[in-house]
Short mmCIF file of all heavy atoms in Angstrom, two decimals:
data_model
loop_
_atom_site.label_atom_id
_atom_site.label_comp_id
_atom_site.label_asym_id
_atom_site.label_seq_id
_atom_site.Cartn_x
_atom_site.Cartn_y
_atom_site.Cartn_z
N SER A 105 -12.20 0.72 -5.07
CA SER A 105 -11.59 0.80 -6.45
C SER A 105 -12.66 0.60 -7.52
O SER A 105 -12.60 1.26 -8.60
CB SER A 105 -10.48 -0.36 -6.57
OG SER A 105 -9.85 -0.23 -7.80
N MET A 106 -13.60 -0.28 -7.25
CA MET A 106 -14.61 -0.50 -8.24
C MET A 106 -15.47 0.74 -8.49
O MET A 106 -15.75 1.07 -9.55
CB MET A 106 -15.61 -1.64 -7.72
CG MET A 106 -16.45 -2.16 -8.85
SD MET A 106 -17.60 -3.50 -8.22
CE MET A 106 -16.38 -4.71 -7.63
N VAL A 107 -15.73 1.46 -7.34
CA VAL A 107 -16.64 2.74 -7.51
C VAL A 107 -15.82 3.76 -8.19
O VAL A 107 -16.31 4.48 -9.08
CB VAL A 107 -17.05 3.13 -6.10
CG1 VAL A 107 -17.79 4.50 -6.17
CG2 VAL A 107 -18.02 2.05 -5.46
N ILE A 108 -14.61 3.97 -7.78
CA ILE A 108 -13.76 5.00 -8.41
C ILE A 108 -13.52 4.69 -9.84
O ILE A 108 -13.60 5.61 -10.79
CB ILE A 108 -12.36 5.08 -7.75
CG1 ILE A 108 -12.53 5.58 -6.28
CG2 ILE A 108 -11.35 6.08 -8.50
CD1 ILE A 108 -11.29 5.59 -5.37
N GLY A 109 -13.24 3.38 -10.24
CA GLY A 109 -13.04 3.06 -11.62
C GLY A 109 -14.30 3.27 -12.46
O GLY A 109 -14.23 3.69 -13.67
N GLN A 110 -15.49 3.10 -11.85
CA GLN A 110 -16.66 3.38 -12.63
C GLN A 110 -16.87 4.89 -12.90
O GLN A 110 -17.25 5.30 -13.99
CB GLN A 110 -17.91 2.90 -11.80
CG GLN A 110 -19.24 3.26 -12.25
CD GLN A 110 -19.68 2.57 -13.57
OE1 GLN A 110 -19.11 1.62 -13.89
NE2 GLN A 110 -20.70 3.13 -14.23
N LEU A 111 -16.55 5.69 -11.82
CA LEU A 111 -16.72 7.21 -11.95
C LEU A 111 -15.73 7.75 -13.00
O LEU A 111 -15.94 8.68 -13.74
CB LEU A 111 -16.43 7.88 -10.57
CG LEU A 111 -17.48 7.56 -9.51
CD1 LEU A 111 -17.17 8.12 -8.21
CD2 LEU A 111 -18.90 8.10 -9.95
N TRP A 112 -14.53 7.13 -13.04
CA TRP A 112 -13.45 7.58 -14.07
C TRP A 112 -13.61 6.88 -15.35
O TRP A 112 -12.78 7.24 -16.25
CB TRP A 112 -12.05 7.34 -13.37
CG TRP A 112 -11.80 8.33 -12.30
CD1 TRP A 112 -12.59 9.25 -11.73
CD2 TRP A 112 -10.58 8.36 -11.50
NE1 TRP A 112 -12.01 9.97 -10.80
CE2 TRP A 112 -10.75 9.40 -10.59
CE3 TRP A 112 -9.40 7.61 -11.54
CZ2 TRP A 112 -9.78 9.73 -9.63
CZ3 TRP A 112 -8.45 7.90 -10.59
CH2 TRP A 112 -8.57 9.06 -9.78
N GLY A 113 -14.45 5.93 -15.50
CA GLY A 113 -14.62 5.26 -16.81
C GLY A 113 -13.49 4.25 -17.09
O GLY A 113 -13.25 3.96 -18.29
N ILE A 114 -12.79 3.81 -16.08
CA ILE A 114 -11.76 2.81 -16.23
C ILE A 114 -12.35 1.39 -16.27
O ILE A 114 -11.96 0.63 -17.20
CB ILE A 114 -10.71 2.86 -15.05
CG1 ILE A 114 -10.13 4.22 -15.05
CG2 ILE A 114 -9.68 1.75 -15.17
CD1 ILE A 114 -9.11 4.46 -13.85
N GLU A 115 -13.23 1.00 -15.33
CA GLU A 115 -13.86 -0.22 -15.35
C GLU A 115 -15.36 -0.03 -15.20
O GLU A 115 -15.81 0.82 -14.47
CB GLU A 115 -13.28 -1.15 -14.24
CG GLU A 115 -11.81 -1.49 -14.41
CD GLU A 115 -11.36 -2.44 -13.37
OE1 GLU A 115 -11.20 -2.02 -12.21
OE2 GLU A 115 -11.12 -3.64 -13.58
N ARG A 116 -16.17 -0.89 -15.84
CA ARG A 116 -17.55 -0.77 -15.78
C ARG A 116 -18.16 -1.68 -14.70
O ARG A 116 -17.79 -2.89 -14.63
CB ARG A 116 -18.20 -1.06 -17.16
CG ARG A 116 -19.72 -0.74 -17.21
CD ARG A 116 -20.16 -0.84 -18.64
NE ARG A 116 -19.96 -2.17 -19.28
CZ ARG A 116 -20.79 -3.14 -19.16
NH1 ARG A 116 -22.01 -2.91 -18.59
NH2 ARG A 116 -20.62 -4.31 -19.74
N ILE A 117 -18.98 -1.13 -13.89
CA ILE A 117 -19.68 -2.03 -12.92
C ILE A 117 -20.91 -2.72 -13.50
O ILE A 117 -21.92 -2.13 -13.88
CB ILE A 117 -20.19 -1.21 -11.71
CG1 ILE A 117 -19.06 -0.59 -10.92
CG2 ILE A 117 -21.05 -2.02 -10.72
CD1 ILE A 117 -19.51 0.24 -9.71
N THR A 118 -20.79 -4.03 -13.82
CA THR A 118 -21.88 -4.83 -14.25
C THR A 118 -22.75 -5.27 -13.11
O THR A 118 -22.50 -5.03 -11.95
CB THR A 118 -21.29 -6.06 -14.99
OG1 THR A 118 -20.58 -6.85 -14.04
CG2 THR A 118 -20.34 -5.68 -16.11
N ALA A 119 -23.90 -5.90 -13.49
CA ALA A 119 -24.79 -6.40 -12.50
C ALA A 119 -24.09 -7.41 -11.61
O ALA A 119 -24.33 -7.43 -10.30
CB ALA A 119 -26.03 -7.03 -13.20
N ARG A 120 -23.32 -8.21 -12.15
CA ARG A 120 -22.57 -9.24 -11.41
C ARG A 120 -21.55 -8.54 -10.43
O ARG A 120 -21.52 -8.92 -9.24
CB ARG A 120 -21.74 -10.08 -12.37
CG ARG A 120 -21.14 -11.36 -11.77
CD ARG A 120 -20.46 -12.12 -12.89
NE ARG A 120 -19.82 -13.36 -12.37
CZ ARG A 120 -19.16 -14.27 -13.09
NH1 ARG A 120 -19.17 -13.93 -14.40
NH2 ARG A 120 -18.60 -15.28 -12.62
N ARG A 121 -20.90 -7.48 -10.83
CA ARG A 121 -19.92 -6.74 -9.95
C ARG A 121 -20.70 -6.01 -8.88
O ARG A 121 -20.17 -5.89 -7.78
CB ARG A 121 -19.05 -5.85 -10.77
CG ARG A 121 -18.06 -6.56 -11.61
CD ARG A 121 -17.21 -5.60 -12.41
NE ARG A 121 -16.16 -6.35 -13.16
CZ ARG A 121 -15.14 -5.75 -13.83
NH1 ARG A 121 -15.02 -4.40 -13.82
NH2 ARG A 121 -14.32 -6.42 -14.48
N LEU A 122 -21.85 -5.48 -9.28
CA LEU A 122 -22.70 -4.73 -8.26
C LEU A 122 -23.10 -5.68 -7.13
O LEU A 122 -23.07 -5.33 -5.97
CB LEU A 122 -23.94 -4.23 -8.94
CG LEU A 122 -24.75 -3.20 -8.08
CD1 LEU A 122 -23.92 -1.99 -7.69
CD2 LEU A 122 -25.97 -2.80 -8.86
N VAL A 123 -23.38 -6.96 -7.44
CA VAL A 123 -23.69 -8.02 -6.40
C VAL A 123 -22.51 -8.25 -5.54
O VAL A 123 -22.57 -8.26 -4.26
CB VAL A 123 -24.21 -9.29 -7.07
CG1 VAL A 123 -24.34 -10.34 -5.97
CG2 VAL A 123 -25.55 -9.01 -7.71
N GLY A 124 -21.37 -8.33 -6.22
CA GLY A 124 -20.14 -8.49 -5.43
C GLY A 124 -19.79 -7.27 -4.52
O GLY A 124 -19.36 -7.50 -3.39
N LEU A 125 -20.09 -6.13 -4.99
CA LEU A 125 -19.80 -4.86 -4.21
C LEU A 125 -20.72 -4.97 -2.98
O LEU A 125 -20.30 -4.63 -1.87
CB LEU A 125 -20.18 -3.65 -5.04
CG LEU A 125 -19.95 -2.26 -4.42
CD1 LEU A 125 -18.43 -2.08 -4.13
CD2 LEU A 125 -20.38 -1.23 -5.32
N ALA A 126 -22.01 -5.34 -3.14
CA ALA A 126 -22.97 -5.35 -2.03
C ALA A 126 -22.54 -6.42 -1.01
O ALA A 126 -22.62 -6.27 0.18
CB ALA A 126 -24.31 -5.55 -2.62
N LEU A 127 -22.17 -7.59 -1.55
CA LEU A 127 -21.75 -8.73 -0.61
C LEU A 127 -20.50 -8.33 0.08
O LEU A 127 -20.34 -8.63 1.34
CB LEU A 127 -21.55 -9.88 -1.44
CG LEU A 127 -22.82 -10.66 -2.06
CD1 LEU A 127 -22.39 -11.81 -2.87
CD2 LEU A 127 -23.70 -11.09 -0.83
N GLY A 128 -19.54 -7.68 -0.53
CA GLY A 128 -18.30 -7.29 0.09
C GLY A 128 -18.57 -6.33 1.17
O GLY A 128 -17.99 -6.38 2.33
N ALA A 129 -19.38 -5.30 0.95
CA ALA A 129 -19.75 -4.30 1.97
C ALA A 129 -20.43 -4.98 3.10
O ALA A 129 -20.17 -4.66 4.34
CB ALA A 129 -20.63 -3.14 1.31
N ALA A 130 -21.34 -5.75 2.77
CA ALA A 130 -22.09 -6.55 3.95
C ALA A 130 -21.13 -7.40 4.76
O ALA A 130 -21.30 -7.40 6.05
CB ALA A 130 -23.22 -7.42 3.31
N GLY A 131 -20.22 -7.95 4.06
CA GLY A 131 -19.18 -8.79 4.84
C GLY A 131 -18.34 -8.01 5.72
O GLY A 131 -18.05 -8.40 6.87
N LEU A 132 -17.96 -6.83 5.31
CA LEU A 132 -17.18 -5.90 6.19
C LEU A 132 -18.02 -5.53 7.40
O LEU A 132 -17.49 -5.43 8.47
CB LEU A 132 -16.75 -4.70 5.39
CG LEU A 132 -15.47 -4.83 4.54
CD1 LEU A 132 -15.23 -3.54 3.75
CD2 LEU A 132 -14.27 -5.10 5.39
N VAL A 133 -19.29 -5.19 7.19
CA VAL A 133 -20.11 -4.82 8.24
C VAL A 133 -20.23 -5.94 9.30
O VAL A 133 -20.16 -5.71 10.56
CB VAL A 133 -21.41 -4.31 7.76
CG1 VAL A 133 -22.44 -4.20 9.02
CG2 VAL A 133 -21.38 -3.09 6.95
N LEU A 134 -20.45 -7.16 8.76
CA LEU A 134 -20.60 -8.27 9.66
C LEU A 134 -19.30 -8.59 10.41
O LEU A 134 -19.38 -8.90 11.70
CB LEU A 134 -21.00 -9.53 8.92
CG LEU A 134 -22.42 -9.61 8.34
CD1 LEU A 134 -22.60 -10.74 7.43
CD2 LEU A 134 -23.36 -9.59 9.47
#
Side-chain angles (χ1 to χ4, degrees):
S105 186
M106 194 183 300
V107 174
I108 294 170
Q110 170 73 16
L111 293 175
W112 287 0
I114 298 174
E115 294 183 289
R116 188 169 61 88
I117 297 182
T118 62
R120 188 176 180 180
R121 290 184 176 184
L122 189 61
V123 171
L125 183 64
L127 289 173
L132 279 174
V133 171
L134 288 173

